[in-house]
Structures are given as structure tokens and as C-alpha cells.
Amino acid sequence: MATTQKLRPAIKFGPGYFIKEQMEYRSWTQEELAEVMGMTIKHINKILKDKQAITLDTAKVLAEVFDTSPQYWLNLDANYRLWLDSIPSEKEKQAELKANIYERMPIRDMIAKNWIPAFADVYELYEDILEFWNTKKLDFDEWDKQIVPLLARKSESFNQYKASYTYTWYHKAMMVADSFVVPEFNKKELENLYQELHQYTIKENGTNLFLEKLNQLGVIFFVLPHLQKTYLDGAAFYCNNNPVIVYTARYKRIDNFWFTIAHEIAHILYHLDENNTFFLDNFREEEVNDLETEANQLAAEKLKHNDIIDYLKAKLNYLSTDDIENCAKHLEVHPAVIIGKLAFDKTISYANQRLYNEDVLELIDDNYLVK
């Protein structure tokens, strides 16, 4: 009987599929096949469901019954078993999905910050992540491509692992920014306010007065803690048509707050454009970048860093708190800014940074803090 051409080998189908095909061709029942092959119906049923591997003896019988070679059935069974082994188990699927998520996002930190809820299993986690990213499906290969701009603009120490976590933080910052309602951005008035920045450092409630002024000028501001391994101090970007400044309170010092604000305003006024749509800053990274260097210089200028050194240069070897306070009064700048500048220059020990430096978050109204 020339019927072997109907027996098509296929990796995804086991021998049982092709035996059933031949049974249908002959209009045989399982009982009839069992009688022909000299096997029990129970044994035949297992073969048809591919729950029973094809042995050499069984392959020889099948070859006689269906006019094929024994090797044909052995190959069918071997290929099917190999295919089965290549299919990940449910446990393996869950482990792979969890690994893909954990490699790209600091899940424990996101839960601790209430960005996503605690989860019972990996599929619940996946649903929470989809909601966080506002998508119906997370394509990890496509997702990885989104971090390329971060890697391209950062130093060599900014690896893919760190860039992925930073991208997650940036996405959260964008979501928060989108929830704010502020007036149309007034760039000219921001330039004027920038010139007065140092005066707000010494005003009573000057921190909130300055932030309120920013909002009135169409600049969104809020505090969003950085994620682990991102080491961010601040960020500047646009949300819709309004510029955004984010402070992470990584150090929670007054001098760090004002320098971050001054630095990010510089980015808004002079650097944000179609080629530079965001700035995510880590001041300890000492990134070699003309735009970051210029932002640092402008921030230092607004906080009178050079004037501080000029005023104190004759006393740098034996500074007293009176000297710091006199300098602060003369230059109209907070004493913490002076201490921060001198510590950064290593003129005094970093241990002195605690002088005049209360927790800046205690000075910022709660409405600017992301819960």
C-alpha cells in the first residue's frame, strides 16, 4: 500500500497524531488497532496521546502495520520528545518573566515607594507593571531600545543596568509632572527670577516662596526620590508645554537643594530643545559634558561661589562661624551655600556640611512632595 507519503514528520506533532491519521484512513477504531498490533487498548491509548514513548519493538510493529520503516516512527518520537523538552515549564516561564522585569526595574524599591503594590505572584506583578507603564503588553526588546539615549549621553560608568533603572524613574517623573496644572510658561520672567535666586536662600520661608514663584511662571516642580542605583540629584525636561524641575533630595541639604534648582533652571533656559529633551543629573558623577559644565557655571554664578571665595580667601586657613555668617550677610546668600562650596572645593572638611544645613525637606511644603 502506497500510504507512507501521508505520514509527514513534524516536530510539534508526536507519533500519535500520525497513527490517528492512518487509523482514520483505514476507518479503524482503537480496539481494532490494538487487535492488529497485539497490544492492550490502554497501551494503544497512551501511544495515541504521546504519553508512551515509541520503543524499537513498537516501531517495528508500526512499520509492519503501516508499511513504513521502524526508523520513521523512532524519528517521529525522538523529534517530538526533543520539542517537548524545549518548551519551558510553567515554573521556567514564571522565572524568565520575573528575571526580565527585575533586570530592568528595581521592583523592591518601587514597592517600598508605593509606585506599585506588593504582589502575590509574578503574573500579578506583570499586571502591575503594565499599569505602571500604561501599556497592554511589555516588549522587553523594544523597551531596552528606549534606554539607548540615556547610555549615549552618560559617562562610561553609566551601564545598561543603571540606565534601565533611571529610565524607570524618568517615566515616573513624567507621570507625576502630567498631573500638575500650571500657567503658560513665561521664559522672560524665569530669567528675571534666576537673577534673584540667591536672595530667596535667606528669605523667611524663601524655599516655598521661590517654588511658588516657579509655578506661577509655568514651571512644574516636585520632589521625587531617586531609585536605587540611579544616584540622581535632579532633572529637567518638558511635560506638554511646561518645563519641569525634579529634586530627588538625595542629600537633603539646603546647599544641595539650591544648587540643584539653579542647575536645572540653567538647563531650562539654555539647553532644553529638540536635541536635548531631558537632563538627568548626578553631580557626583562629574560627567564631562559642555552643557553640564555650563549649567554648573551658571548655578555657581547665581549662588555667588566666586564671590564667596573672594570674600573669604584671606581667612580660609582659620575660618570661624562668624566669618561664614558675615560672608552670608554681605553676599545675601545662605550660610549653608557657603559651607557647601568650601566643602566641594575641599577647603574645609565635608564633615562641616552639617553646619547650617537642616533637612531641606522640612522646609518644603508637602504639596511638592510625591507620596
Side-chain angles (χ1 to χ4, degrees):
M1 294 184 298
T3 61
T4 56
Q5 60 183 352
K6 288 190 176 184
L7 303 176
R8 304 178 300 278
I11 293 177
K12 290 186 179 181
F13 296 98
Y17 174 86
F18 299 98
I19 294 173
K20 290 175 185 176
E21 195 175 60
Q22 290 303 306
M23 290 171 62
E24 185 178 348
Y25 179 78
R26 293 168 173 78
S27 299
W28 284 357
T29 65
Q30 286 192 37
E31 289 80 1
E32 289 172 327
L33 179 62
E35 186 176 341
V36 170
M37 294 185 66
M39 296 180 177
T40 66
I41 293 177
K42 183 177 180 180
H43 192 72
I44 289 295
N45 186 260
K46 286 185 176 181
I47 291 176
L48 292 177
K49 292 181 178 179
D50 293 314
K51 293 182 177 180
Q52 176 68 53
I54 301 296
T55 64
L56 178 58
D57 287 341
T58 300
K60 289 179 179 179
V61 175
L62 287 169
E64 289 296 328
V65 171
F66 295 127
D67 191 23
T68 64
S69 69
Q71 192 64 46
Y72 173 81
W73 298 104
L74 290 173
N75 287 344
L76 269 179
D77 190 70
N79 288 336
Y80 178 70
R81 303 295 163 191
L82 286 173
W83 176 75
L84 281 181
D85 286 342
S86 70
I87 301 175
S89 66
E90 179 60 24
K91 187 174 182 179
E92 290 171 332
K93 289 179 182 178
Q94 291 186 29
E96 181 182 14
L97 178 58
K98 197 170 185 178
N100 274 321
I101 295 172
Y102 271 70
E103 283 174 7
R104 292 164 176 82
M105 299 165 230
I107 297 301
R108 292 184 183 277
D109 199 13
M110 293 170 73
I111 293 173
K113 289 179 169 63
N114 293 318
W115 292 12
I116 59 172
F119 58 92
D121 57 57
V122 67
Y123 293 121
E124 187 176 329
L125 168 63
Y126 184 65
E127 290 300 319
D128 294 336
I129 292 301
L130 291 181
E131 184 176 348
F132 176 82
W133 289 96
N134 191 28
T135 184
K136 294 182 179 179
K137 181 181 178 182
L138 197 57
D139 185 328
F140 293 111
D141 290 335
E142 188 63 32
W143 196 90
D144 289 342
K145 294 176 184 178
Q146 305 303 315
I147 69 172
V148 172
L150 284 172
L151 288 169
R153 289 174 51 183
K154 289 293 182 178
S155 65
E156 293 181 1
S157 66
F158 204 81
N159 55 31
Q160 182 164 347
Y161 187 61
K162 193 184 298 184
S164 186
Y165 282 22
T166 301
Y167 179 54
T168 302
W169 181 90
Y170 179 47
H171 174 75
K172 176 65 175 180
M174 287 290 288
M175 286 196 298
V176 173
D178 195 45
S179 68
F180 278 76
V181 178
V182 294
E184 183 179 351
F185 175 47
N186 189 326
K187 185 174 183 180
K188 182 61 179 178
E189 286 301 312
L190 180 61
E191 291 173 348
N192 294 335
L193 180 64
Y194 200 28
Q195 303 305 318
E196 303 170 1
L197 181 144
H198 69 283
Q199 296 176 1
Y200 284 86
T201 69
I202 58 172
K203 284 185 178 182
E204 183 178 355
N205 198 30
T207 301
N208 290 305
L209 290 174
F210 190 86
L211 297 180
E212 182 180 349
K213 194 70 174 178
L214 282 180
N215 281 182
Q216 292 171 355
L217 300 180
V219 180
I220 297 169
F221 170 87
F222 55 88
V223 179
L224 181 68
H226 70 101
L227 289 170
Q228 65 181 75
K229 303 185 185 300
T230 59
Y231 311 113
L232 294 174
D233 291 292
F237 54 87
Y238 266 85
C239 180
N240 302 318
N241 294 317
N242 291 97
V244 181
I245 294 175
V246 187
Y247 178 58
T248 68
R250 180 182 171 195
Y251 293 109
K252 300 182 178 69
R253 298 195 318 267
I254 293 174
D255 66 302
N256 179 262
F257 167 79
W258 285 112
F259 186 85
T260 302
I261 292 294
H263 183 96
E264 304 308 340
I265 290 177
H267 282 321
I268 290 172
L269 291 176
Y270 306 110
H271 303 148
L272 282 176
D273 55 32
E274 63 275 5
N275 297 316
N276 298 285
T277 57
F278 62 85
F279 289 89
L280 308 176
D281 293 311
N282 170 1
F283 300 138
R284 288 293 181 92
E285 194 175 50
E286 297 182 358
E287 185 179 346
V288 179
N289 179 304
D290 289 344
L291 300 184
E292 294 298 342
T293 298
E294 183 178 31
N296 283 338
Q297 291 171 345
L298 288 166
E301 175 188 316
K302 298 303 177 286
L303 291 170
K304 301 196 171 185
H305 282 186
N306 290 337
D307 294 334
I308 290 169
I309 298 303
D310 288 342
Y311 186 91
L312 295 174
K313 61 184 177 183
K315 304 177 181 181
L316 290 179
N317 293 327
Y318 46 90
L319 274 175
S320 67
T321 55
D322 285 342
D323 294 326
I324 299 296
E325 291 174 4
N326 289 335
C327 179
K329 184 177 180 180
H330 177 75
L331 297 178
E332 296 183 299
V333 67
H334 197 285
V337 174
I338 299 172
I339 293 292
K341 167 58 179 173
L342 296 177
F344 180 80
D345 289 349
K346 299 180 181 179
T347 301
I348 61 175
S349 168
Y350 271 105
N352 290 302
Q353 284 190 316
R354 63 179 177 271
L355 296 173
Y356 309 104
N357 254 322
E358 57 189 298
D359 186 340
V360 73
L361 292 184
E362 296 179 1
L363 305 178
I364 298 177
D365 284 347
D366 287 348
N367 58 296
Y368 296 112
L369 309 180
V370 176
K371 304 298 184 182

